[in-house]
C-alpha cells in the first residue's frame, strides 16, 4: 500500500508538470519499491521490540529478572537509606533496611541493615523520619555528625508506603551542604576578623598621615620616623590579610582529605634551608635530626605540609633568644600512643588536635624552642585566632596570631594531630604528626643518600 501510494503520487506530480507519463512511471517504480521494503522492515522491528518489552515485563513479574536497583543506589554520591518501622510507640523499632555505599561511608556503619539509632541519633532527623513513617509527611532537618572534620547535611525524609511485611517505609537522603555553609561562614568570619584587626593599624596610619600633613610637615627627622612606622603597619596589614585568606581557603576544604604522597623529609629540609640565614642573623642555632630523603612519605598536600613546618619553625625562632637553640626532628612509623607521647620531662602538655580514625602509623615532626615557655592555662587557647600569650605581644615578636590556627586546620584536613608541651623558663615543643603512606602505596623512587640522618648544627 505504501509503495503503491508513493508510485501514484509521483506519477501524478510528473503528469501535472507536463512530462511524459510513461517516463514518470518508469522513474517512480524504483522509488516505490525502496519505500515498500523500508515500511516492511519498520513494521518488523516494531513488532520485535514490542515482543521484547512484553517478555521483559513477564520476567520481572515472575521474579526471573533482577534489575540493578542496588547498583544504581550505590552509584549515587549522596547517602541514601530506607527506614522501616511498625509501631509509633516502639522507639527502638526504627530500622534501616537498606543503605548505599555513600551512606555506609559517611555514617561509619558496616552493615546494610540495623537499628537506626546506631547510625543517627540526632533528634531533629529522627523526628523527620517519624513524620514520614507515621504521618505520611515530607520532612527536612539539618544533621551534623560531629568529629574533627565538620560536616553539615540537609536531610530529606519521604514516605514510601507499606512494605511486604506490612511495616511502614520511608526514604532518607542526606545532601552534603558543607561547602555552602563553609563559604557563608568564611565570608562572615573574614569580614569580622579583618574589620577588627585592621582597625588599629588603619587608625595608626591615619594619625601619622594627619601629623605629617600638619605641624611635622617640615620636620625631616619626624617624617622619616613616622614613615618607618607607617611602613611597618602596612606590612602588618598585608601579612594579616594574607594569613586570613590562607586560613579561609584551608577551612573551606578542610573536610576534603588530600591524597598525594609527600616526601616529609624533603619538605622539612626546604623550610630549614630557607630559615637558616634568619637563624644565623639572630644568633640562634638550628639542630636538625632527619632521616634520609625519600624514606618518610605521608599522605598530604605538599604546600600545606611546608606551611605547617614553616609556621612551627618560625614560631620557635621568634621566641628563642640569641644564643638559643631550635631543634627540628622527624620520627617515623609511630603508633598513635607513641606520636602523642611526652617529649619534655615535667612539662604541661595538651593535645590541640586528635585524629578521629583508628590505629595507624604516623610520622611526627617536632619543633623545640628555647624561649620563655608558657603556663598551663595558656595551652588550650593557643590555636584560637589572634590569641597571644600575655607578655609576648609586643617588641620584635610581631605576628598576626593566626599561625597556630592555620597549623591546626591543616593538620585536621590531613587527618593528623597536634601536640604542645611547655614549661616556664624551659621553652616549648610542638609536635605535628601526619598519617603515613602504606607500604603498598609508597612510590618506588630511588632514595637520595646524600643526606644522612645525623644531627646537623648550623650556627
Amino acid at each position: 500500500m505504501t509503495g503503491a501510494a508513493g508510485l501514484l503520487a509521483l506519477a501524478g506530480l510528473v503528469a501535472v508538470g507536463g512530462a511524459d507519463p510513461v517516463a514518470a512511471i518508469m522513474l517512480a517504480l524504483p522509488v516505490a519499491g525502496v519505500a515498500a521494503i523500508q515500511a516492511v522492515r519498520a513494521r518488523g522491528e516494531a513488532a520485535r521490540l514490542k515482543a521484547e518489552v512484553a517478555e521483559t515485563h513477564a520476567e520481572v513479574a515472575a521474579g526471573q529478572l533482577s534489575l540493578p536497583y542496588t547498583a544504581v543506589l550505590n552509584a549515587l554520591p549522596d547517602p541514601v537509606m530506607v527506614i522501616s518501622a511498625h509501631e509509633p510507640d516502639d522507639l527502638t523499632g526504627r530500622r534501616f533496611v537498606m543503605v548505599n555505599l555513600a551512606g555506609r561511608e559517611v555514617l561509619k556503619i558496616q552493615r546494610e541493615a540495623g537499628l537506626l539509632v546506631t547510625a543517627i541519633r540526632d533528634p531533629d532527623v529522627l523526628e523527620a523520619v517519624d513524620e514520614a513513617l507515621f504521618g505520611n509527611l515530607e520532612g527536612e532537618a539539618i544533621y551534623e555528625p560531629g568529629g574533627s572534620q565538620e560536616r553539615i547535611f540537609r536531610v530529606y525524609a519521604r514516605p514510601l508506603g507499606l512494605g511486604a511485611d506490612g511495616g511502614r517505609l520511608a526514604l532518607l537522603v542526606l545532601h552534603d551542604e558543607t561547602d555552602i555553609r563553609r563559604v557563608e561562614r568564611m565570608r562572615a568570619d573574614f569580614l569580622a576578623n579583618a574589620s577588627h584587626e585592621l582597625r588599629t593599624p588603619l587608625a595608626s596610619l591615619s594619625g601619622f598621615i594627619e601629623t605629617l600633613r600638619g605641624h611635622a610637615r617640615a620636620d625631616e627627622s619626624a617624617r622619616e620616623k613616622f614613615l618607618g612606622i607607617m611602613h611597618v603597619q602596612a606590612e602588618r596589614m598585608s601579612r594579616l590579610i594574607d594569613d586570613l585568606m590562607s586560613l579561609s581557603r584551608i577551612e573551606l576544604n578542610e573536610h576534603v582529605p588530600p591524597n598525594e604522597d609527600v616526601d616529609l623529609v624533603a619538605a622539612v629540609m626546604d623550610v630549614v634551608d630557607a630559615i637558616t640565614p634568619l637563624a644565623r642573623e639572630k644568633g640562634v642555632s638550628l639542630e636538625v635530626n632527619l632521616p634520609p630523603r625519600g624514606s618518610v612519605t605521608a599522605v598530604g598536600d605538599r604546600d600545606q605540609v611546608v606551611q605547617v613546618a614553616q609556621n612551627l619553625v618560625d614560631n620557635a625562632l621568634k621566641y628563642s633568644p640569641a644564643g638559643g637553640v631550635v631543634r627540628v626532628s622527624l620520627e617515623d612509623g609511630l603508633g598513635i600512643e607513641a606520636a602523642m607521647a611526652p617529649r619534655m620531662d615535667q612539662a604541661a602538655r595538651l593535645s590541640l588536635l586528635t585524629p578521629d580514625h583508628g590505629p595507624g602509623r604516623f610520622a611526627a615532626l617536632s619543633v623545640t624552642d628555647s624561649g620563655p615557655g608558657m603556663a598551663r592555662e595558656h595551652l588550650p587557647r593557643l590555636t584560637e585566632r589572634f590569641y597571644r600569650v600575655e607578655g609576648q605581644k609586643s617588641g620584635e615578636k610581631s605576628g598576626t596570631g593566626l599561625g597556630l590556627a592555620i597549623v591546626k586546620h591543616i593538620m585536621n584536613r590531613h587527618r593528623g594531630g597536634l601536640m604542645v608541651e611547655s614549661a616556664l623558663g624551659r621553652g616549648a615543643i610542638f609536635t605535628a604528626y601526619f598519617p603515613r603512606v602504606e607500604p603498598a602505596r609508597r612510590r618506588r623512587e630511588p632514595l637520595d643518600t646524600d643526606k644522612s640522618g645525623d644531627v646537623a648544627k648550623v650556627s
Side-chain angles (χ1 to χ4, degrees), residues 92-209:
T92 61
R94 279 70 162 162
R95 303 179 60 86
F96 59 91
V97 294
M98 192 285 301
V99 56
N100 66 349
L101 289 176
R104 293 200 291 274
E105 179 180 354
V106 169
L107 300 174
K108 296 180 175 61
I109 53 180
Q110 304 298 322
R111 297 176 298 172
E112 295 186 0
L115 293 177
L116 178 60
V117 293
T118 61
I120 300 177
R121 298 183 181 182
D122 187 275
D124 293 336
V125 176
L126 298 178
E127 182 179 355
V129 170
D130 281 354
E131 289 178 353
L133 287 171
F134 303 106
N136 203 34
L137 300 173
E138 298 181 354
E140 295 183 13
I142 298 298
Y143 174 55
E144 299 183 33
S148 298
Q149 287 75 40
E150 181 186 32
R151 302 290 295 274
I152 302 174
F153 296 90
R154 182 173 293 277
V155 179
Y156 300 92
R158 300 291 186 265
L160 293 179
L162 297 177
D165 61 351
R168 297 179 179 271
L169 299 176
L171 179 69
L172 197 65
V173 180
L174 283 69
H175 180 65
D176 195 344
E177 293 189 350
T178 306
D179 289 339
I180 299 174
R181 299 299 183 95
R182 284 183 182 275
V183 169
E184 294 175 353
R185 189 170 58 193
M186 180 187 71
R187 185 185 301 113
D189 288 347
F190 181 83
L191 291 175
N193 292 326
S195 62
H196 174 72
E197 292 297 320
L198 294 176
R199 185 177 292 113
T200 299
L202 283 174
S204 188
L205 286 174
S206 178
F208 287 131
I209 292 173

Side-chain angles (χ1 to χ4, degrees), residues 36-369:
I37 293 173
Q38 291 178 341
V40 172
R41 289 179 177 175
R43 288 194 296 271
E45 183 69 14
R48 184 182 66 80
L49 292 176
K50 184 177 180 180
E52 288 184 358
V53 171
E55 183 181 357
T56 300
H57 282 295
E59 290 178 353
V60 172
Q64 299 174 354
L65 181 63
S66 177
L67 297 180
Y69 295 119
T70 302
V72 171
L73 291 175
N74 284 333
L76 294 176
D78 288 338
V80 176
M81 305 178 76
V82 175
I83 313 299
S84 173
H86 289 80
E87 299 295 335
D89 297 333
D90 185 9
L91 299 180
T92 61
R94 279 70 162 162
R95 303 179 60 86
F96 59 91
V97 294
M98 192 285 301
V99 56
N100 66 349
L101 289 176
R104 293 200 291 274
E105 179 180 354
V106 169
L107 300 174
K108 296 180 175 61
I109 53 180
Q110 304 298 322
R111 297 176 298 172
E112 295 186 0
L115 293 177
L116 178 60
V117 293
T118 61
I120 300 177
R121 298 183 181 182
D122 187 275
D124 293 336
V125 176
L126 298 178
E127 182 179 355
V129 170
D130 281 354
E131 289 178 353
L133 287 171
F134 303 106
N136 203 34
L137 300 173
E138 298 181 354
E140 295 183 13
I142 298 298
Y143 174 55
E144 299 183 33
S148 298
Q149 287 75 40
E150 181 186 32
R151 302 290 295 274
I152 302 174
F153 296 90
R154 182 173 293 277
V155 179
Y156 300 92
R158 300 291 186 265
L160 293 179
L162 297 177
D165 61 351
R168 297 179 179 271
L169 299 176
L171 179 69
L172 197 65
V173 180
L174 283 69
H175 180 65
D176 195 344
E177 293 189 350
T178 306
D179 289 339
I180 299 174
R181 299 299 183 95
R182 284 183 182 275
V183 169
E184 294 175 353
R185 189 170 58 193
M186 180 187 71
R187 185 185 301 113
D189 288 347
F190 181 83
L191 291 175
N193 292 326
S195 62
H196 174 72
E197 292 297 320
L198 294 176
R199 185 177 292 113
T200 299
L202 283 174
S204 188
L205 286 174
S206 178
F208 287 131
I209 292 173
E210 184 178 350
T211 302
L212 289 174
R213 296 177 64 184
H215 62 273
R217 180 190 300 269
D219 190 337
E220 184 174 349
S221 62
R223 183 169 63 249
E224 291 300 322
K225 176 182 177 182
F226 292 158
L227 287 176
I229 298 175
M230 292 168 64
H231 179 70
V232 171
Q233 295 293 335
E235 286 186 335
R236 179 173 181 268
M237 286 192 294
S238 178
R239 291 196 306 271
L240 177 64
I241 292 174
D242 289 343
D243 283 351
L244 281 173
M245 292 299 296
S246 177
L247 182 59
S248 298
R249 287 192 296 268
I250 293 167
E251 287 182 322
L252 185 62
N253 297 314
E254 191 171 341
H255 64 291
V256 182
N259 56 7
E260 302 174 8
D261 294 353
V262 179
D263 182 350
L264 284 182
V265 181
V268 175
M269 282 306 303
D270 288 347
V271 172
V272 171
D273 292 342
I275 209 167
T276 295
L278 299 177
R280 184 180 294 112
E281 180 181 345
K282 189 176 179 181
V284 175
S285 299
L286 290 178
E287 290 188 0
V288 183
N289 189 2
L290 302 176
R293 287 178 183 262
S295 62
V296 183
T297 307
V299 182
D301 180 313
R302 192 182 194 281
D303 290 339
Q304 292 188 349
V305 170
V306 169
Q307 195 171 6
V308 167
Q310 182 77 49
N311 284 349
L312 293 181
V313 177
D314 276 346
N315 277 350
L317 181 61
K318 185 187 303 180
Y319 292 107
S320 295
V325 179
V326 171
R327 297 179 176 86
V328 181
S329 64
L330 186 62
E331 302 172 86
D332 186 29
L334 304 179
I336 186 66
E337 294 82 5
M340 299 175 63
R343 292 167 173 81
M344 179 183 289
D345 295 333
Q346 297 180 348
R349 57 189 298 266
L350 180 70
S351 176
L352 300 174
L353 175 67
T354 304
D356 285 338
H357 56 82
R361 292 294 170 181
F362 297 87
L365 171 64
S366 297
V367 180
T368 307
D369 64 55

